[in-house]
Amino acid sequence: MKTPQNRSKVVIVGGGFAGIEVARLLAKNPLAEVTLVSTNNCFQYYPNLYRLVAGASANQVSIPLDKIIPKNVTLLIDTYIGIDLTQKAISLKSGSALSYDYAVLAMGSDANYFGIEGMEAHAQDFLSVKKALALRSSLLQKISDAKNLSEAEAKELLHIMIIGAGPSGTELAGALGPFLKEKAKKVGVNPSLIGIDLLDSSPRVLAALPEHASALVTEQLQKNGVTVYANYGVNACDEDFLTVTNKNTPEPTTLKMKASTVIWTAGTKISGAFATIPGVVMTEKKRVQVTSTLALPNDDSVYIAGDGSGTQYSGLAQTAIDQGQYLAKTISNRIAGVPVSDYVPQPGVFVIPVGKAWAILNKKQFVVSGLAAYIIRIIVDARYFLSITSIAQVISMLKKETS
Ligand SMILES: Cc1cc2nc3c(=O)[nH]c(=O)nc-3n(C[C@H](O)[C@H](O)[C@H](O)COP(=O)(O)OP(=O)(O)OC[C@H]3O[C@@H](n4cnc5c(N)ncnc54)[C@H](O)[C@@H]3O)c2cc1C
């Protein structure tokens, strides 16, 4: 029997949506000794990274983990490199090893370029605060450089191609125009020289949403000056051109499209760190196969949470949070010797902003668009921040943004 003097060791890897949820909630259990390991000392709120590219402050999307994680959780900034299921130990890059009674692996995702020739080398992404800031600064530099060019040269330099019309690509496409045009005006560059294209191999933007929702979003993108290329598959990327296949013609045609900036938003894959788990089996969707309690099939003391877990709605922040809450309860029950219930996957709600003060909300066939959906998105973001950190921290984030 566990007592506060003889606590169960719980090691959580990954300070993202799933990991911090498990850590925060398990910290309330006096029978659990919780350690959180993460490579990054900040939690990054990915849903708002597009706003960082479009001018928001880094404080809006990034919170130091020590402002989130309760004091009784040991926080280690280190990198997981492997797990020994027999010894029940996790190895870290620093050379140390952590023994555990229960482990939760929640290392999230990396970019996936699907082996498209030249894409990784020539495209930019915004999958971290650092990359989002680098992308913003390269776009602003181009605006500044355009001042000294002829109109034709400036137009070429300010042509941006966003690949992937899923939520990230669509949100970025809607936000970039107003931001860059304002910056261009300020430095005396004609804003109409900025061109933003959004390209996807699916027949419509936001292909996971109902058709009428896609139509509303396409209209809104066009109002924001974005040109949508649906049914265009990308085959290769080099310094100056994208090679694409237009599938809208009776016979698909291959053509070259010139773009000075290529932004990749079309795919992620689960972190390569999951492949280090001995005996790991991947699902068809290339996530880790788990049992109905999110444990490894070959070891019920190791759980997989967030993007890595092979469950129905994995790949969403909402799913990762949900799984974090489920695992905190499941591990507490196991420590107490109480039976655990199965994890029940919950469908997510999409709220996708496009341009200023407009968003689309979708759950199953239910769709709302416009200002109301945009306000809901602000409330969802604020509620999440308030659930993980103090109101004082949220106010300080807002103050820093204003300044
Ligand atoms: C640009 C973008 C926009 C998105 N927008 C939305 C949205 O609007 N709505 C939505 O529901 N979802 C959205 N998502 C998806 C959502 O962010 C993910 O589903 C969610 O982050 C998954 O949570 P997680 O805990 O599995 O991983 P993450 O939140 O990615 O956290 C993983 C953590 O693990 C750490 N880590 C990685 N490798 C190691 C290692 N080897 N050792 C130690 N630590 C490690 C990382 O530093 C990170 O802190 C978006 C994703 C992106 C990239």
Side-chain angles (χ1 to χ4, degrees):
M1 165 133 174
K2 290 288 170 188
T3 63
Q5 287 72 41
N6 166 28
R7 297 182 294 167
S8 290
K9 288 183 184 165
V10 184
V11 176
I12 303 158
V13 183
F17 284 94
I20 60 173
E21 207 62 18
V22 187
R24 270 183 346 100
L25 297 174
L26 262 188
K28 295 178 186 157
N29 185 338
L31 302 181
E33 180 188 333
V34 185
T35 302
L36 175 69
V37 184
S38 198
T39 35
N40 202 324
N41 63 356
C42 283
F43 163 68
Q44 304 193 46
Y45 189 73
Y46 294 111
N48 280 352
L49 280 178
Y50 81 94
R51 293 178 61 185
L52 194 49
V53 183
S57 135
N59 302 301
Q60 251 202 318
V61 293
S62 173
I63 310 177
L65 282 172
D66 59 9
K67 297 262 187 273
I68 299 174
I69 300 305
K71 296 275 174 281
N72 62 340
V73 171
T74 305
L75 176 62
L76 297 178
I77 305 307
D78 208 331
T79 298
Y80 159 102
I81 53 168
I83 183 165
D84 184 329
L85 300 180
T86 317
Q87 299 295 321
K88 286 183 172 271
I90 282 173
S91 315
L92 303 179
K93 200 172 172 186
S94 63
S96 44
L98 296 174
S99 63
Y100 63 82
D101 296 302
Y102 302 99
V104 177
L105 304 183
M107 287 90 74
S109 298
D110 298 325
N112 187 359
Y113 295 93
F114 302 108
I116 297 174
E117 193 190 321
M119 192 57 77
E120 187 167 0
H122 297 292
Q124 287 171 276
D125 68 57
F126 56 101
L127 290 179
S128 65
V129 168
K130 202 170 158 191
K131 286 176 169 183
L133 290 174
L135 175 56
R136 176 167 84 193
S137 102
S138 81
L139 291 169
L140 293 179
Q141 184 62 51
K142 283 181 182 174
I143 289 181
S144 164
D145 294 346
K147 266 191 305 190
N148 308 317
L149 300 177
S150 69
E151 284 225 332
E153 287 169 329
K155 196 168 180 179
E156 205 165 273
L157 185 68
L158 300 178
H159 185 193
I160 300 159
M161 189 83 87
I162 300 172
I163 304 173
S168 302
T170 302
E171 287 171 344
L172 182 69
L176 261 190
F179 168 67
L180 293 180
K181 285 183 178 169
E182 197 188 308
K183 293 288 171 195
K185 258 191 234 161
K186 272 194 187 151
V187 295
V189 169
N190 178 355
S192 71
L193 299 176
I194 297 170
I196 300 171
D197 296 345
L198 179 63
L199 185 144
D200 201 294
S201 60
S202 303
R204 54 194 175 86
V205 302
L206 299 175
L209 270 56
E211 259 181 61
H212 66 290
S214 292
L216 287 169
V217 171
T218 304
E219 198 185 312
Q220 187 63 17
L221 284 166
Q222 284 161 348
K223 275 189 198 160
N224 280 278
V226 178
T227 307
V228 175
Y229 290 92
N231 247 344
Y232 277 69
V234 182
N235 311 321
C237 179
D238 63 27
E239 220 165 298
D240 301 311
F241 290 100
L242 278 178
T243 309
V244 300
T245 300
N246 175 4
K247 299 182 280 179
N248 296 300
T249 47
E251 281 298 313
T253 44
T254 299
L255 61 145
K256 286 195 176 270
M257 294 173 94
K258 200 161 170 55
S260 136
T261 304
V262 175
I263 304 174
W264 176 257
T265 75
T268 53
K269 59 181 178 208
I270 67 165
S271 161
F274 288 105
T276 61
I277 302 169
V280 68
V281 177
M282 296 293 173
T283 64
E284 240 176 66
K285 291 189 175 164
K286 309 268 185 283
R287 300 189 195 274
V288 178
Q289 196 177 88
V290 290
T291 65
S292 57
T293 59
L294 305 182
L296 286 178
N298 57 341
D299 189 331
D300 72 354
S301 57
V302 179
Y303 293 98
I304 309 295
D307 285 359
S309 72
T311 63
Q312 194 178 357
Y313 301 111
S314 294
L316 291 172
Q318 300 154 65
T319 304
I321 295 166
D322 207 30
Q323 293 185 345
Q325 291 170 355
Y326 166 81
L327 284 179
K329 190 162 182 214
T330 295
I331 293 171
S332 282
N333 282 355
R334 286 193 64 187
I335 293 172
V338 174
V340 298
S341 49
D342 285 349
Y343 171 70
V344 183
Q346 301 292 334
V349 182
F350 292 94
V351 194
I352 300 161
V354 184
K356 281 189 177 159
W358 192 98
I360 192 132
L361 180 152
N362 168 239
K363 183 164 186 179
K364 295 183 177 170
Q365 287 308 306
F366 179 70
V367 173
V368 178
S369 63
L371 180 63
Y374 185 79
I375 291 170
I376 291 173
R377 169 66 184 249
I378 293 173
I379 294 171
V380 168
D381 290 347
R383 268 187 62 188
Y384 180 67
F385 282 127
L386 286 173
S387 78
I388 60 167
T389 190
S390 64
I391 189 151
Q393 171 68 16
V394 174
I395 290 169
S396 111
M397 286 160 71
L398 294 175
K399 267 195 201 151
K400 279 180 192 160
E401 191 196 357
T402 315
S403 66

